[in-house]
Amino acid sequence: LKTQSAGTYIAQFLKPKKQDQEAAVDVFGLIIPAKIAWAFKTSTYFGLWYFFSIFFNVATKKSLNALNMPWMQSLACVVVGVPYILFMWAIGARSVPNLNMK
């Protein structure tokens, strides 16, 4: 098993494949080089993640102000989340992770 740093992994993950770099994308009749389209798509994902993160943080702060019991709120998230993911694994909507000791 080859080890690599987090920076190297992220750089390889974010780098578009060679065949994707050379293609073109048609967006509503406008031909855009694939490299620019890929960069726009990646930037959009980061922007949406940041945008929704703001709403999540505001909602969390409001709930903590309304009911100042952080341990109880965390427990409620676990109590709701564990059965939810078990259900998703049971119906096959999500694959069960493969865990090993190596």
Side-chain angles (χ1 to χ4, degrees):
L1 184 63
K2 185 174 84 171
T3 61
Q4 59 186 357
S5 69
T8 305
Y9 174 78
I10 291 172
Q12 289 176 351
F13 179 75
L14 293 177
K15 183 178 177 184
K17 296 178 183 130
K18 189 70 170 173
Q19 66 267 19
D20 293 343
Q21 288 180 357
E22 297 167 355
V25 178
D26 183 10
V27 180
F28 302 114
L30 181 65
I31 305 299
I32 300 173
K35 195 170 187 179
I36 293 172
W38 177 87
F40 179 74
K41 180 177 79 169
T42 304
S43 300
T44 302
Y45 287 151
F46 277 110
L48 287 172
W49 166 76
Y50 186 77
F51 178 74
F52 289 119
S53 172
I54 291 170
F55 285 104
F56 172 78
N57 290 328
V58 169
T60 302
K61 184 64 176 175
K62 283 184 176 183
S63 68
L64 283 173
N65 287 338
L67 180 66
N68 194 12
M69 300 173 71
W71 285 98
M72 188 60 73
Q73 290 181 5
S74 298
L75 179 65
C77 286
V78 171
V79 167
V80 170
V82 168
Y84 173 75
I85 196 64
L86 290 174
F87 176 72
M88 289 295 171
W89 288 344
I91 65 171
R94 297 287 307 229
S95 61
V96 180
N98 183 12
L99 304 176
N100 56 28
M101 298 298 281
K102 293 183 180 182

